[in-house]
Amino acid sequence: MFDQVGVVGGGTAGRGIARALAQAGVDVTLVEASDRALAVSLENLREGMDRDIARWSITESERDAVLARVHGRVSLETVHGLPVVVEAIQEDREAKEALLHALDRSTRPDAVLITNTSTLSVSALADRLSPRRRPWLVGLHFLHPVTRVKAVELVRGRDTGPEALEAARGIVDLLGKELIEVAEYPGYVTSRLTLALINEAAHTLMEGVATRDAIDRAMKLRFGWRYGPLALADEMGLDSVVRALESMWSELGLPQYRPCPLLRQMVTRGWLGEKNGRGFYRYDDAGNRLASDDLDLERPPLPGAEDPR
């Protein structure tokens, strides 16, 4: 059943899922919205693997084997006939609903549809499907970076059927990851806790409590983490962080999810993190953090502005 899988969306999450599947021996059809977006996605996939080669994480032959199994396409019709299709576009309710509605028409009737949502309701997304297709939708939240993080959250919607659940568990097993079943609730476990931490770290920096480096170092030393929360935000993409926070703020109305003004301003400035070389830290073209940088983020970017929390 898992010899061929479709992945729709070639952003950070989609590329990670496609790579993980290809590394497990699956032929992946990676669908993007345009030729330009597809070219960028495939190039980013190669560059990411080249960085891992430089770190001695993988070999060139392993990279080439993965790339040979990822087949880029720009039409949803190319996933027709595939037994499993993963939706991995941006965390935007309307966009995901529209895509799932389109997949309802362009996939075979018994195809398992997997939504990689971190904050949205699987049941609500299923409402855009025809009644006969709703049992085939299930949520799998892959955590970034997909190829390194072992945990995957499984979310069953109101109508999710046993076949979809079995397929989701099978994919997680195939990838050698650990399944965490969570209740359908905004943010589940990992996003709910991680987003609150990142948001509070940004507030802590904005309010001048400690420097960027001190905040990250304190959390790394306290919990033994590989990343501090600000460095993690850079890796996730600050635009993705803000979108997810806005979704949580809309769903729950809890103040800890109202995006910090510093995060909003950084996104407005185009400082998106590792993916474009500038976030809380600076990065070279290969995505490596620079040893020193000239970013002035030790003070709030809006002097005198009141904290709106």
Side-chain angles (χ1 to χ4, degrees):
M1 181 178 188
F2 306 125
D3 291 343
Q4 295 179 310
V5 173
V7 177
V8 182
T12 302
R15 288 196 309 273
I17 295 168
R19 175 179 167 180
L21 288 166
Q23 287 179 173
V26 178
D27 281 330
V28 180
T29 299
L30 180 62
V31 182
E32 261 291 7
S34 68
D35 289 325
R36 171 60 181 163
L38 179 61
V40 169
S41 179
L42 293 175
E43 181 61 26
N44 286 338
L45 177 59
R46 172 180 282 275
E47 289 179 354
M49 299 190 77
D50 286 344
R51 290 195 294 272
D52 285 342
I53 291 173
R55 301 183 184 113
W56 299 91
S57 299
I58 62 172
T59 65
E60 290 186 4
S61 61
E62 288 172 331
R63 176 202 62 194
D64 293 343
V66 167
L67 294 176
R69 294 189 188 105
V70 178
H71 314 287
R73 300 290 186 267
V74 292
S75 170
L76 283 183
E77 297 303 319
T78 58
V79 301
H80 181 74
L82 297 183
V84 179
V85 178
V86 182
E87 170 279 304
I89 63 172
Q90 70 271 19
E91 191 74 353
D92 178 272
R93 179 190 300 278
E94 292 184 0
K96 285 184 181 290
E97 287 178 344
L99 174 57
L100 289 170
H101 182 63
L103 287 173
D104 191 354
R105 302 191 305 271
S106 58
T107 55
R108 71 191 208 191
D110 62 344
V112 175
L113 301 180
I114 295 174
T115 177
N116 179 52
T117 180
S118 60
T119 62
L120 302 176
S121 164
V122 175
S123 296
L125 293 174
D127 287 341
R128 288 304 307 271
L129 300 174
S130 57
R132 63 181 177 81
R133 293 305 307 276
R134 291 171 188 170
W136 297 95
L137 180 68
V138 62
L140 277 184
H141 177 210
F142 292 89
L143 306 177
H144 181 74
V146 178
T147 54
R148 293 203 298 269
V149 178
K150 284 288 189 181
V152 180
E153 292 178 318
L154 182 146
V155 191
R156 71 172 74 194
R158 177 185 60 242
D159 301 313
T160 300
E163 296 90 347
L165 288 172
E166 180 182 359
R169 294 188 179 106
I171 285 180
V172 173
D173 286 342
L174 177 68
L175 298 180
K177 298 186 180 297
E178 292 191 27
L179 191 69
I180 300 173
E181 296 201 29
V182 298
E184 186 180 37
Y185 202 78
Y188 315 130
V189 175
T190 55
S191 291
R192 182 165 185 167
L193 299 180
T194 302
L195 289 171
L197 175 61
I198 290 173
N199 206 34
E200 195 60 35
H203 276 293
T204 303
L205 176 61
M206 188 184 75
E207 294 162 13
V209 176
T211 66
R212 169 200 64 189
D213 293 339
I215 292 168
D216 274 355
R217 189 168 65 253
M219 299 305 289
K220 288 167 64 178
L221 292 173
R222 171 62 181 86
F223 294 105
W225 292 340
R226 180 178 179 182
Y227 301 105
L230 300 177
L232 177 60
D234 272 1
E235 187 178 62
M236 293 171 63
L238 301 188
D239 52 339
S240 298
V241 169
V242 169
R243 277 198 302 268
L245 282 168
E246 287 174 338
S247 176
M248 292 290 290
W249 168 245
S250 174
E251 292 282 341
L252 296 176
L254 298 175
Q256 61 263 40
Y257 300 112
R258 184 171 182 174
C260 174
L262 175 57
L263 286 171
R264 288 190 185 278
Q265 188 177 56
M266 291 175 72
V267 171
T268 299
R269 288 180 176 180
W271 298 2
L272 306 183
E274 183 180 321
K275 60 184 170 185
N276 72 343
R278 189 168 187 167
F280 286 105
Y281 299 86
R282 278 190 183 275
Y283 304 85
D284 63 20
D285 291 340
N288 300 307
R289 189 192 302 175
L290 298 178
S292 61
D293 60 59
D294 58 0
L295 290 182
D296 183 13
L297 290 176
E298 311 305 335
R299 300 186 306 274
L302 300 173
E306 294 184 359
D307 183 352
R309 288 183 289 174

